Amino acid sequence: RKEVEQDPGPFNVPEGATVAFNCTYSNSASQSFFWYRQDCRKEPKLLMSVYSSGNEDGRFTAQLNRASQYISLLIRDSKLSDSATYLCVVSGATNKLIFGTGTLLAVQP
Amino acid sequence: NAGVTQTPKFQVLKTGQSMTLQCAQDMNHEYMSWYRQDPGMGLRLIHYSVGAGITDQGEVPNGYNVSRSTTEDFPLRLLSAAPSQTSVYFCASSYTAGPRDTQYFGPGTRLTVL
């Protein structure tokens, strides 16, 4: 079993739609959780950290469920510019970051 | 600030050749690391450094060497390139080695080994 698992997609959604991604992780001792965004042929960039109580940044909402060991990202009112791959990232056993394979989002006009 | 810079952007090597991928950051970050990204796999940690003079192995270190003589630079050396090393390589840095610190990535080097 992979340490961090994501649905690779693609998720094809129309502009204005709400879309949600889930990610599961295997190490119950993980302490840090993030969503990174990676545009095609570009480097990953931090989108947002994920906190235990859940957190929101504009149209983006991240949730953490420690009991079930999953993280979610909700994007409301999707824009064309949201098209990218979203990487779920979790701190591993030695505090090193473990990256998921990413979920591809394509927002259609 | 230029952030994290990497050179070259693209490279084609023949099997058995050696080369060095350059990485530099101007943010005075202590922690630097190298990842490779392959299709269908997440970024995998090759080597990392928590400060000048200190390096350690990550998840997939075989075939690669690193050194950290200055805070700014963290080159990755391929000793004898193999087709399995065809990948996109990202260098990253953060203020400390703490897992909560934001990782800043360079633009990547796309390496093909024939």
Side-chain angles (χ1 to χ4, degrees):
Chain A
R1 181 186 172 188
K2 289 183 180 178
E3 291 189 73
V4 177
E5 294 205 61
Q6 296 182 250
D7 182 342
F11 284 61
N12 294 299
V13 303
E15 272 187 291
T18 296
V19 61
F21 310 136
N22 286 334
C23 162
T24 58
Y25 61 95
S26 60
N27 185 356
S28 60
S30 294
Q31 294 295 319
S32 301
F33 309 91
F34 310 92
W35 285 101
Y36 276 72
R37 171 192 168 128
Q38 186 173 24
D39 293 308
C40 186
R41 301 182 71 79
K42 299 286 188 181
E43 71 272 23
K45 292 182 179 179
L46 179 66
L47 177 66
M48 59 196 302
S49 301
V50 186
Y51 302 117
S52 297
S53 55
N55 48 299
E56 191 174 300
D57 183 1
R59 298 181 293 107
F60 299 84
T61 300
Q63 298 277 356
L64 169 64
N65 185 319
R66 286 188 183 272
S68 301
Q69 293 180 212
Y70 80 80
I71 305 153
S72 64
L73 177 67
L74 182 78
I75 305 175
R76 292 181 298 278
D77 189 22
S78 298
K79 312 291 185 189
L80 294 175
S81 57
D82 294 334
S83 297
T85 297
Y86 291 84
L87 306 177
C88 175
V89 184
V90 176
S91 62
T94 56
N95 272 339
K96 297 296 175 287
L97 297 181
I98 309 296
F99 287 77
T101 55
T103 297
L104 178 61
L105 172 65
V107 181
Q108 314 290 340
Chain B
N1 287 351
V4 181
T5 58
Q6 290 184 238
T7 57
K9 290 187 176 179
F10 302 94
Q11 183 70 50
V12 179
L13 292 178
K14 294 181 179 178
T15 296
Q17 288 185 313
S18 64
M19 80 157 294
T20 300
L21 279 60
Q22 301 292 343
C23 173
Q25 52 89 12
D26 61 359
M27 297 176 281
N28 201 31
H29 284 172
E30 290 183 357
Y31 185 79
M32 296 185 74
S33 54
W34 277 101
Y35 292 88
R36 59 178 289 174
Q37 186 174 36
D38 301 294
M41 306 187 78
L43 277 79
R44 292 182 292 168
L45 183 64
I46 304 172
H47 284 286
Y48 64 94
S49 169
V50 298
I54 306 169
T55 63
D56 207 344
Q57 297 181 349
E59 179 186 356
V60 288
N62 292 342
Y64 307 95
N65 272 354
V66 291
S67 59
R68 185 98 179 267
S69 57
T70 66
T71 299
E72 295 78 18
D73 300 297
F74 190 45
L76 177 72
R77 182 165 179 81
L78 278 69
L79 307 172
S80 176
S84 61
Q85 293 179 303
T86 294
S87 188
V88 181
Y89 291 85
F90 289 103
C91 178
S93 74
S94 59
Y95 186 60
T96 71
R100 299 184 191 279
D101 281 3
T102 300
Q103 297 289 314
Y104 295 89
F105 285 86
T109 295
R110 284 163 177 77
L111 176 68
T112 301
V113 183
L114 303 175

